[in-house]
């Protein structure tokens, strides 16, 4: 059964305590919205949930594969978008491109994409990752209104299929019944 | 995700933009500098030629070190490997294989030209090629471990040189030592290369992991 548990998690960066005592318990179909000012540790919380960062205290348990949308898009800039995505998600590229309305850009080198297009390309990697736990760091950065709505719809579809989503953002994204995690 | 996929990607990135020719051109340039520096004494050049080729090979292996690990850390590629459960030692091992494939075969070809410049006898050339085949995996491993250690540092290129050069000295000693035809030096070269190749993935993985915290 898909699940993500953060129990009493604390994070220290550079000798400074960013947050402590954070608890998040998500089961299939549930979502969490992480909010807070810049530098309060939203990205760190997501990296702890992904297993990239060891928490200073507390425990993290994940039941299911993780797809992480970080600050960097992890796509080779010199490659056409479709090929760069294929490295991570293989044959699910066309499905992922279609989900983000990126088909017209399939043959465009990643370096040529705009900020918003790159964000959508990063999101295409998540959609194609076939992982039940989505950890999204500022998925709406640089996106227009239609783009934000599309991300919200993708997250809703993912949850309806039994997935989990943790979204860190300072922009409003529609996440019905999401657990609110306020940092700072 | 399999190691071959990572090797293919790293190799493609190394060769894109003419990266294949940089170490070769650099290697030949260093080899060409020596006759200018020590003068056109044919007997002397033949005597030092093998050692020069080894020193030039070491410098050429150092050239792409900045591009081996740091760009992948910055682009979040390493994060994605970790999230997918790919062991970092496997990533480092694949990077060593890709680095070796990227610079060693072209370097061994270029050694033919360098041997011509120094008018080396065929027997010495053969021992150079054999030594390079045995020693370059160790150089590649050292390069990746160094790249992982200095990733994220400012001015990492200069630091990489300071870290890598002293550790490469054993390869240089036994590589150049094997040119006299001693089988013992060749065996010690193989031993050093093996130790470096076997140890480097774990060192590189630990360095990358500690850089994430």
């Amino acid at each position: 059964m898909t699940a993500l548990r953060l129990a009493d998690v604390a994070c220290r960066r550079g000798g400074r305590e960013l947050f402590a005592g954070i608890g998040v318990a998500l089961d299939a179909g549930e979502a969490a919205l992480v909010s807070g000012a810049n530098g309060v540790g939203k990205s760190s919380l997501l990296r702890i949930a992904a297993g990239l960062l060891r928490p200073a205290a507390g425990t993290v348990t994940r039941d299911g594969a993780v797809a992480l949308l970080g600050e960097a898009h992890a796509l080779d800039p010199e490659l056409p978008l479709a090929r760069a995505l294929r490295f991570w998600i293989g044959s699910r590229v066309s499905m992922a491109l279609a989900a983000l309305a990126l088909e017209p850009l399939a043959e465009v080198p990643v370096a040529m994409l705009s900020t918003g297009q790159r964000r959508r390309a990063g999101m295409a990697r998540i959609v194609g990752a076939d992982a039940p736990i989505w950890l999204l760091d500022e998925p709406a950065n640089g996106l227009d209104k239609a783009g934000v709505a599309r991300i919200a719809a993708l997250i809703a579809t993912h949850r309806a299929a039994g997935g989990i989503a943790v979204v860190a953002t300072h922009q409003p994204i529609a996440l019905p019944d999401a657990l609110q995690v306020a940092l700072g | 995700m399999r190691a071959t996929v990572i090797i293919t990607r790293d190799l493609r990135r190394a060769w894109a933009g003419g990266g294949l020719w940089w170490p070769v051109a650099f290697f030949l340039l260093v080899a060409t500098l020596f006759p200018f520096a020590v003068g056109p004494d044919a007997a002397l050049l033949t005597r030092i030629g093998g050692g020069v080729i080894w020193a030039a090979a070491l410098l050429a292996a150092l050239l792409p070190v900045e591009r081996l690990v740091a760009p992948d850390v910055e682009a979040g590629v390493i994060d994605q490997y970790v999230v997918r459960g790919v062991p970092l030692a496997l990533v480092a091992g694949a990077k060593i294989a890709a680095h070796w494939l990227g610079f060693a075969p072209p370097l061994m070809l270029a050694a033919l030209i360098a041997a011509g410049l120094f008018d080396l006898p065929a027997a010495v050339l053969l021992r150079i090629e054999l030594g390079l085949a045995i020693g370059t995996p160790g150089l590649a491993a050292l390069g990746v471990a160094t790249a992982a250690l200095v990733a994220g540092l400012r001015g990492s290129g200069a630091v990489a040189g300071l870290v890598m050069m002293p550790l490469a000295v054993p390869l240089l000693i036994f590589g150049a030592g094997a040119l006299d035809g001693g089988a013992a030096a060749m065996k010690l070269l193989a031993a050093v290369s093996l130790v470096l190749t076997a140890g480097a993935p774990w060192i590189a993985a630990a360095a990358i992991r500690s850089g994430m915290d």
Side-chain angles (χ1 to χ4, degrees), chain A residues 1 19 31 41 44 50-51 56 62 68 82 92 138 147 149 155 170:
Chain A
M1 197 61 199
F19 51 78
S44 296
R62 286 174 301 274
L68 171 75
R92 290 183 293 273
E138 303 288 358
I155 296 174
H170 58 256

Side-chain angles (χ1 to χ4, degrees), chain B residues 77-127:
Chain B
V77 173
I78 300 285
D79 286 351
Q80 293 298 329
Y81 288 143
V82 174
V83 164
R84 267 146 228 263
V86 185
L88 280 176
L90 179 77
V91 173
K95 282 188 172 295
I96 290 169
H99 179 36
W100 184 82
L101 286 169
F103 92 94
L107 202 70
M108 289 171 69
L109 279 177
L112 289 175
I113 304 173
L117 287 175
F118 291 103
D119 194 21
L120 295 180
V124 174
L125 174 62
L126 196 67
R127 280 195 289 274

Side-chain angles (χ1 to χ4, degrees), chain A residues 13 47 51-54 66 68 72-74 76-79 83 87-88 125, chain B residues 1 5-6 9 12-13 74-77 79-84 209 212-213:
Chain A
R13 304 288 283 158
R47 289 177 70 80
L52 291 171
L53 206 61
R54 269 186 290 266
V66 167
L68 171 75
H73 52 65
D76 290 339
E78 72 278 4
L79 287 186
R83 266 191 71 192
F87 179 72
W88 295 114
R125 198 191 64 229
Chain B
M1 180 165 280
V5 181
I6 303 176
R9 169 180 177 271
R12 178 186 56 70
R13 297 210 74 195
E74 281 160 28
V77 173
D79 286 351
Q80 293 298 329
Y81 288 143
V82 174
V83 164
R84 267 146 228 263
R209 171 53 79 177
M212 292 168 114
D213 275 343

Side-chain angles (χ1 to χ4, degrees), chain B:
Chain B
M1 180 165 280
R2 286 162 39 172
T4 46
V5 181
I6 303 176
I7 294 174
T8 313
R9 169 180 177 271
D10 276 37
L11 205 51
R12 178 186 56 70
R13 297 210 74 195
W15 282 352
L20 171 63
W21 300 111
W22 285 7
V24 173
F26 186 76
F27 172 78
L28 287 175
L29 195 66
V30 173
T32 318
L33 282 177
F34 274 82
F36 287 122
V38 297
D41 179 344
L44 180 65
L45 286 178
T46 304
R47 204 151 55 81
I48 65 166
V52 170
I53 288 176
W54 263 99
L58 196 135
L59 293 173
L62 185 65
L63 202 59
V65 158
E66 266 181 287
R67 291 182 287 133
L68 291 177
V69 174
D72 279 0
V73 172
E74 281 160 28
V77 173
I78 300 285
D79 286 351
Q80 293 298 329
Y81 288 143
V82 174
V83 164
R84 267 146 228 263
V86 185
L88 280 176
L90 179 77
V91 173
K95 282 188 172 295
I96 290 169
H99 179 36
W100 184 82
L101 286 169
F103 92 94
L107 202 70
M108 289 171 69
L109 279 177
L112 289 175
I113 304 173
L117 287 175
F118 291 103
D119 194 21
L120 295 180
V124 174
L125 174 62
L126 196 67
R127 280 195 289 274
I128 288 177
E129 293 289 1
L130 186 62
L132 285 178
I134 294 172
T136 43
L139 278 182
L142 201 53
V144 170
T146 308
L149 281 167
V150 302
L153 290 184
R154 216 184 296 177
S156 58
V159 182
L162 289 176
V163 172
M164 183 173 162
M165 287 297 175
L167 293 171
V169 165
L171 286 173
L172 193 67
I173 291 174
F174 298 126
L179 298 178
D180 305 330
M186 201 66 95
K187 283 177 190 163
L188 283 167
L189 175 67
V192 172
S193 186
L194 191 64
V195 166
L196 289 173
T197 312
W202 312 102
I203 296 168
I208 295 171
R209 171 53 79 177
S210 74
M212 292 168 114
D213 275 343

Side-chain angles (χ1 to χ4, degrees), chain A residues 98-114:
Chain A
L100 274 299
L102 284 168
E103 294 118 316
L105 301 173
E107 295 309 316
V108 177
V110 173
M112 299 289 154
L113 299 180
S114 74

